[in-house]
Amino acid sequence: MNRSQRLLQLLQLLREHHFPVTAETLAHRLDVSVRTIYRDIETLKNQGANIAGEAGLGFQLQTGFFLPPMMWTENEIEALILGTRWVAHLPDDPLKQAATSILAKLQAVLPEPQQRLFEQTTLYAINQWLPVNQDIVACIRLATRQQKKLHIDYENEAGQQGKRMVWPFTIGYFNDKMILAAWCELRSDFRHFRLDRIQACKVIDEYYPSYKKQLFKQWCISQRITIATDRN
């Protein structure tokens, strides 16, 4: 990559970290020398980037400095297209509509060379999903977003009917199924419910006594699941 591209990528790497990151780490990510990183940091500072830190301690981009939003690499564009196309085929109408809107907006704002990449990309994620009731999907997503208790009527694999009061914290998309992960008050433990087997649900106007992010982390530990985080 040329120097301008490297400087933009260095800014992006700094923005991805909550805490100071060492020059050695940055040099490894950009495949350049540590000395080059020091020079590039000084260049960015001279151009107005508010970068705190120093050699040996690490560097951190301070709040208030923004990168141009469309400076994406070819791999990043293809990742956006692939992921958004996958969402556009979910059995979740609001998310499908949002994904279609995102694709249209993305194509509209990309520069000319990246427009061609967008038009020529043939990456697709193809899934066959079990049908689900859209009202139930919307109800579950609302309860999860608001961190409120949810009452569900559920039919298990054996065809037995039951009622549960749960604390919903995430929806997973597995092969052909949408799965609600929640804390079940009846079992006093985490339980999983297929959305295609939920017969009815109702959001209870009562916050459950935990944060969904905390429940999610505890669930990941209990299931021995490692989730890649968005930020370091």
Side-chain angles (χ1 to χ4, degrees):
M1 71 181 78
N2 60 40
R3 189 161 188 262
S4 296
Q5 292 174 324
R6 189 179 71 242
L7 290 173
L8 283 172
Q9 193 166 351
L10 176 57
L11 274 173
Q12 180 62 38
L13 288 174
L14 289 168
R15 186 168 66 173
E16 290 174 359
H17 288 78
H18 284 301
F19 304 102
V21 55
T22 65
E24 288 77 8
T25 299
L26 295 170
H28 177 73
R29 291 286 300 275
L30 295 176
D31 196 23
V32 296
S33 68
V34 171
R35 181 176 296 181
T36 297
I37 294 297
Y38 290 150
R39 288 200 301 264
D40 288 350
I41 290 290
E42 287 304 313
T43 298
L44 291 173
K45 285 182 176 180
N46 292 334
Q47 293 177 355
N50 187 8
I51 300 174
E54 57 186 76
L57 297 178
F59 300 96
Q60 184 176 14
L61 184 65
Q62 301 297 293
T63 57
F65 187 85
F66 300 96
L67 288 174
M70 297 304 161
M71 294 299 180
W72 290 321
T73 67
E74 291 185 349
N75 286 336
E76 288 171 340
I77 292 172
E78 290 185 335
L80 283 168
I81 294 172
L82 177 61
T84 309
R85 283 175 174 172
W86 181 81
V87 174
H89 287 85
L90 292 176
D92 185 326
D93 287 348
L95 285 184
K96 288 171 65 173
Q97 294 168 7
T100 301
S101 175
I102 288 170
L103 282 172
K105 290 177 181 178
L106 177 62
Q107 187 173 17
V109 300
L110 286 175
E112 179 61 30
Q114 295 177 327
Q115 285 268 2
R116 291 194 294 272
L117 174 64
F118 185 100
E119 294 167 356
Q120 296 172 3
T121 295
T122 55
L123 296 177
Y124 282 89
I126 300 174
N127 284 80
Q128 296 294 326
W129 297 94
L130 292 174
V132 294
N133 185 307
Q134 292 300 313
D135 291 336
I136 288 176
V137 175
C139 178
I140 292 172
R141 289 183 60 213
L142 177 63
T144 303
R145 188 180 299 123
Q146 295 183 347
Q147 303 184 106
K148 288 187 175 181
K149 293 185 178 183
L150 184 71
H151 183 274
I152 63 173
D153 294 343
Y154 189 72
E155 181 181 286
N156 64 20
E157 192 170 1
Q160 297 172 326
Q161 305 284 334
K163 299 180 182 295
R164 301 288 183 92
M165 185 72 73
V166 299
W167 308 348
F169 57 84
T170 189
I171 297 176
Y173 301 83
F174 300 96
N175 299 322
D176 59 345
K177 306 175 187 67
M178 294 175 65
I179 307 292
L180 168 65
W183 179 266
C184 176
E185 292 188 351
L186 177 65
R187 303 301 184 190
S188 296
D189 201 357
F190 294 114
R191 287 293 185 268
H192 306 113
F193 305 93
R194 282 174 43 174
L195 267 64
D196 59 295
R197 290 180 176 163
I198 296 178
Q199 308 300 307
C201 66
K202 179 182 178 181
V203 179
I204 306 302
D205 191 20
E206 179 182 350
Y207 295 103
Y208 49 73
S210 186
Y211 292 106
K212 65 179 179 181
K213 195 70 174 180
Q214 182 182 9
L215 288 172
F216 181 77
K217 290 180 179 179
Q218 293 172 347
W219 172 76
C220 287
I221 293 172
S222 71
Q223 302 297 312
R224 299 180 181 178
I225 295 175
T226 301
I227 301 294
T229 57
D230 298 329
R231 300 283 297 273
N232 294 320

